Amino acid sequence: QVQLVESGGGLVQPGGSQRLSCTTPGHIFVIYDMGWYRQPPGKQREWVAMISSSGITNYTDSVKGRFTISRDNIEGGVYLQMNNVKPEDTAVYYCTVALRRGSTWANVYWGQGTQVTVSS
């Protein structure tokens, strides 16, 4: 059974940094894109950042220049370095494994989510 195990969420002050991790025990998704979505309170889930197996990255406009996505193709896993966080970054963050479909992704697996709260 495929599991995506997220960690790193918590409370962070505005302007601070947080690093999210997602490991995939026993699985390495060589041909898949991996990345992060988030669901702010009362809103729909939205994509944040995705990375291909070759390292091509995509970011939603609101996090460009602040967030950095990376992945480990040997051990398996994907990471999200969040810098200069803002209150509007508050959300449940979900790790995902997906197949690229033109300008979007077909999500295949999801993690259980980790809460990030940006507040002073």
Side-chain angles (χ1 to χ4, degrees):
Q1 183 176 355
V2 175
Q3 274 190 306
L4 307 184
V5 181
E6 297 135 333
S7 61
L11 177 65
V12 58
Q13 291 190 342
S17 297
Q18 196 82 341
R19 186 173 188 259
L20 304 183
S21 298
C22 173
T23 58
T24 57
H27 293 84
I28 298 175
F29 298 96
V30 176
I31 66 170
Y32 291 86
D33 287 13
M34 299 183 71
W36 297 89
Y37 281 56
R38 67 186 179 188
Q39 187 165 13
K43 297 184 179 181
Q44 289 188 334
R45 192 175 298 189
E46 60 186 16
W47 79 278
V48 177
M50 297 293 292
I51 184 168
S52 71
S53 58
S54 62
I56 297 172
T57 58
N58 288 272
Y59 298 94
T60 195
D61 286 347
S62 62
V63 307
K64 284 180 181 176
R66 300 188 299 121
F67 291 9
T68 302
I69 190 171
S70 60
R71 66 185 284 172
D72 183 343
N73 285 336
I74 298 175
E75 298 291 333
V78 63
Y79 308 92
L80 187 68
Q81 178 65 41
M82 307 166 60
N83 294 332
N84 190 24
V85 296
K86 303 176 180 180
E88 52 263 42
D89 294 321
T90 294
V92 178
Y93 284 71
Y94 296 91
C95 174
T96 187
V97 172
L99 291 170
R100 187 67 184 260
R101 291 288 183 263
S103 61
T104 187
W105 289 270
N107 303 98
V108 180
Y109 300 108
W110 290 100
Q112 79 284 359
T114 185
Q115 175 71 47
V116 174
T117 302
V118 182
S119 176
S120 55

